[in-house]
Amino acid sequence: MRIVFIEKKWFIFLAICILLFVGGWFLGRPEAIETTGSLTTAKKITINMVTGEFKSTMVDGKEIEAYRWDPGTIYVPKGEAVLLSIYGVNGKEHPFYIEGTNIKGTVKKGKETVLNLRFKKEGVYRLICTTHHDINHNGPMIAYIIVD
């Protein structure tokens, strides 16, 4: 039987390699907390919106109403991921589209409609309900999305 001795420099080299491996594993874990610098993953911005209705009675007894998005204006950073959650409170359903995009959908009473948005271009985009698009149809039900 032969006894092998490890030279001191190889022992130190092996210890450094083990420390680097363990340190790299610890820092690379997703649950590791960064203590300095900026966050490595951006949080998605969430904006909540609801459908609303205003009703009133005229002097002659005629009832009038108007539907609205609330809030009526939202601000979105250009190029950032945004989650737009729209909850249907008033009105059976509100089919909509966002002007200047191919985004469309329907908000139904008692349901949440969630849109994942990312605007590449600055500007004002209108969220338009196609049922209540003008005053003759209890509108206009338009919200403004300002991308800056």
Side-chain angles (χ1 to χ4, degrees):
M1 184 164 178
R2 192 170 173 199
I3 299 177
V4 178
F5 291 99
I6 300 175
E7 291 184 31
K8 186 177 180 182
K9 66 180 180 182
W10 289 110
F11 181 73
I12 293 172
F13 175 75
L14 182 62
I16 290 173
C17 287
I18 290 172
L19 284 173
L20 287 174
F21 175 77
V22 170
W25 172 80
F26 180 76
L27 292 175
R29 294 180 308 160
E31 60 270 7
I33 298 172
E34 208 172 66
T35 57
T36 60
S38 63
L39 293 174
T40 56
T41 57
K43 291 183 180 180
K44 192 177 279 192
I45 300 167
T46 300
I47 299 173
N48 296 291
M49 184 178 273
V50 297
T51 61
E53 176 184 22
F54 292 97
K55 283 188 178 185
S56 184
T57 305
M58 302 286 287
V59 175
D60 63 3
K62 180 183 175 191
E63 200 171 86
I64 59 172
E65 61 186 18
Y67 288 92
R68 307 293 294 162
W69 303 107
D70 187 29
T73 303
I74 58 174
Y75 295 87
V76 174
K78 175 184 149 189
E80 299 226 11
V82 174
L83 193 71
L84 177 59
S85 167
I86 310 172
Y87 186 68
V89 176
N90 295 106
K92 182 178 177 185
E93 66 180 24
H94 300 281
F96 67 87
Y97 67 97
I98 298 177
E99 194 174 57
T101 72
N102 61 357
I103 300 166
K104 55 185 166 180
T106 301
V107 177
K108 296 183 178 182
K109 188 174 190 169
K111 304 274 185 194
E112 179 186 33
T113 300
V114 178
L115 304 170
N116 288 299
L117 306 174
R118 185 183 304 262
F119 292 92
K120 295 178 183 175
K121 196 173 171 186
E122 290 181 354
V124 178
Y125 297 82
R126 297 188 314 160
L127 172 64
I128 302 172
C129 174
T130 59
T131 301
H132 308 292
H133 58 276
D134 62 25
I135 199 163
N136 296 322
H137 297 92
N138 301 326
M141 187 175 183
I142 298 173
Y144 298 91
I145 302 169
I146 299 173
V147 178
D148 192 14

